[in-house]
Amino acid sequence: MNKKQSISTLTALAVATTMAFGANSTGLKDNMPFKLGVAVSNAQINDIANGRKTQALDLIKRNFNQVVAENAMKDQPLQPIEGHFDFDAADAFVDWSNKNGMKTMGHVLLWHSQLPGWFTRGDNGELCSREKLLDRMENHIKTVVTHFKGRVAGWDVVNEAVEGDGSYRRSDFYKILGEEFIDYAFKFAHEADPDCELWYNDYGNESAKKNETIASIVRRLKSKGMRIDGVGLQTHIRIDSPSIESYENAINLFVAEGVKVAITEMDISVLPSAWGLTAEVSTKVEYREKLNPWPDGNLPPEVDKQLGERYAEWFRMFRRHAASIDRVTVWGLSDSSSWLNDFPVPGRTDYPLLVTRDMKLKPWTKSL
Ligand code: G3I
């Protein structure tokens, strides 16, 4: 074959490949040794439910092969009033993700936030009885897990039950049932769907003390012969902290307990911190201009470069542990929809994700 013939053969092959797989079939996900996930916002789910075709949904389909609802499958939206379940938005989302072949995770069965008041309290506002809470937990968890059976691969069964100092969070669940509320939640979920993956999920895994307590939960459940598939490390981090090593230690610790790990809610804030590292949603700090240095949506190139390098370093670490990492999920598609724009200072402009405000993949994502 001469040079001209071989070029035309190559061109024909390229055209055939493009026709077979679609012009937009390759994206970030195709370069990863684990699933690459994204949290889908309420606004995006609303577009899905209304059959709208948007740039955001196209970007998700092309670049990610795992999804989770950022808010739509929490207790408050699913059961706002006791006994009244509303699955419409979540159903539209799950049907769409299944149709598009993405691993769909459920977030979350038990969390102290976005929890309707009736769940843990009586009419008088006081904590409900142990029996009442167990009854409500069983009903919520079994109804929800059964509803999505076969359509979601797994659930965050319990979210954020441990504090940074390694103690149990004094949530209503804990106050009423003690640490065993976690065991009951895993039990109810497993009874509803024995095939479903069951995960514990938390932030702040730079804390060795927190990780020790999480590891002890894994051991406790396993010693009772119960199912727990993995520990989710949310990974809400900053451009300058914590160290990668602290998270690598966490991964090694959990893997040594015989479970998988997942990076479940990654984002990297570039804004100045006045409060330390936390994802505790009740934290609030008053707005000050110096806390919002780039309000017009343009991140200086040197800061964007630093952000890209930080993402790349973390992904290199994730790749080293690819055999134990189920998925790496970012907490939102584009900078404009990140929860960090309003946390813990409302009205800021942060740049924590992989897609810009004008819906372009950041150029450094190629190096992840
Ligand atoms: O749904 C109501 C809506 O009815 C109301 O009109 C509107 C007015 O404020 O609020 C809506 O609820 C908001 C909800 O997001 C949906 O948009 C809540 O106020 C707001 O607090 C809530 O924030 C979410 C937060 O969890 C609390 O649930 C963030 O978007 C979400 O990114 C964040 O995600 C959490 C993970 O679930 C767990 N790990 C930490 C992570 C970050 O905090």
Side-chain angles (χ1 to χ4, degrees):
M1 199 187 297
N2 64 32
K3 199 172 164 195
K4 208 166 159 187
Q5 279 172 322
S6 63
I7 288 174
S8 65
T9 309
L10 280 176
T11 311
L13 252 176
V15 170
T17 309
T18 306
M19 283 167 65
F21 296 106
N24 295 329
S25 66
T26 56
L28 295 178
K29 64 181 177 353
D30 303 291
N31 184 33
M32 298 288 162
F34 31 65
K35 294 226 179 301
L36 186 67
V38 63
V40 183
S41 70
N42 276 352
Q44 288 154 355
I45 291 177
N46 196 28
D47 285 336
I48 292 170
N50 287 292
R52 285 190 279 267
K53 299 198 183 317
T54 68
Q55 209 181 348
L57 297 179
D58 280 350
L59 272 168
I60 292 175
K61 285 191 279 186
R62 192 180 320 145
N63 291 293
F64 300 91
N65 48 14
Q66 183 264 310
V67 284
V68 58
E70 182 182 1
N71 285 300
M73 291 164 78
K74 293 174 178 173
D75 297 13
Q76 200 279 333
L78 288 188
Q79 195 183 177
I81 299 167
E82 186 165 19
H84 291 83
F85 287 86
D86 181 354
F87 290 117
D88 289 354
D91 275 339
F93 163 68
V94 169
D95 290 347
W96 174 84
S97 62
N98 281 337
K99 196 179 89 204
N100 286 291
M102 302 180 223
K103 178 169 183 171
T104 310
M105 296 300 293
H107 173 81
V108 47
L109 295 174
L110 273 200
W111 185 31
H112 62 275
S113 179
Q114 290 271 91
L115 182 73
W118 59 260
F119 208 118
T120 54
R121 304 264 160 176
D123 290 339
N124 54 7
E126 284 173 11
L127 290 176
C128 68
S129 68
R130 183 185 163 84
E131 292 66 36
K132 191 79 192 161
L133 178 57
L134 281 174
D135 197 41
R136 286 170 172 166
M137 280 171 50
E138 181 164 12
N139 185 40
H140 183 84
I141 292 173
K142 288 193 172 170
T143 304
V144 170
V145 173
T146 303
H147 183 85
F148 293 104
K149 196 169 179 169
R151 298 193 291 153
V152 304
W155 278 95
D156 289 334
V157 180
V158 172
N159 198 34
E160 303 173 6
V162 182
E163 299 279 13
D165 64 3
S167 64
Y168 282 96
R169 179 188 292 277
R170 268 45 187 174
S171 66
D172 283 358
F173 304 124
Y174 181 85
K175 287 183 201 154
I176 299 168
L177 292 172
E179 63 204 55
E180 265 201 308
F181 88 84
I182 300 169
D183 311 33
Y184 280 111
F186 276 80
K187 173 180 183 291
F188 296 146
H190 187 57
E191 284 171 1
D193 183 359
D195 296 328
C196 191
E197 292 174 19
L198 305 180
W199 290 75
Y200 174 84
N201 193 48
D202 216 324
Y203 64 85
N205 299 98
E206 66 279 4
S207 162
K209 287 184 175 157
K210 170 177 270 204
N211 296 335
E212 273 305 331
T213 304
I214 296 172
S216 76
I217 295 171
V218 173
R219 275 196 296 278
R220 189 173 76 229
L221 295 180
K222 281 181 168 271
S223 74
K224 293 181 177 177
M226 296 175 64
R227 178 167 184 167
I228 174 166
D229 292 83
V231 175
L233 294 82
Q234 293 183 11
T235 321
H236 295 290
I237 57 171
R238 305 183 42 72
I239 198 149
D240 51 5
S241 62
S243 71
I244 295 185
E245 195 192 3
S246 63
Y247 268 64
E248 194 159 18
N249 291 342
I251 291 172
N252 287 331
L253 179 73
F254 300 137
V255 170
E257 295 295 342
V259 288
K260 291 184 283 186
V261 292
I263 306 302
T264 52
E265 306 184 9
M266 188 173 190
D267 43 31
I268 304 184
S269 176
V270 299
L271 296 181
S273 162
W275 52 87
L277 198 74
T278 177
E280 168 50 50
V281 284
S282 59
T283 312
K284 290 271 179 287
V285 175
E286 200 179 315
Y287 183 91
R288 274 173 286 154
E289 262 176 28
K290 71 170 197 182
L291 294 178
N292 192 25
W294 306 293
D296 62 357
N298 293 309
L299 191 61
E302 66 279 11
V303 187
D304 181 58
K305 182 163 175 273
Q306 208 187 328
L307 176 67
E309 284 166 0
R310 179 113 165 118
Y311 258 110
E313 277 181 283
W314 281 71
F315 269 71
R316 279 198 292 277
M317 187 271 275
F318 300 152
R319 283 174 181 274
R320 284 202 294 280
H321 294 273
S324 317
I325 293 186
D326 180 65
R327 67 204 117 98
V328 174
T329 305
V330 286
W331 203 240
L333 178 66
S334 75
D335 289 343
S336 58
S337 60
S338 169
W339 70 294
L340 287 167
N341 293 313
D342 284 309
F343 174 87
V345 188
R348 295 202 300 175
T349 309
D350 209 340
Y351 301 80
L353 296 169
L354 307 181
V355 174
T356 60
R357 285 186 159 69
D358 57 355
M359 302 305 268
K360 306 249 175 0
L361 277 180
K362 295 183 183 178
W364 45 254
T365 53
K366 288 197 288 290
S367 63
L368 296 182

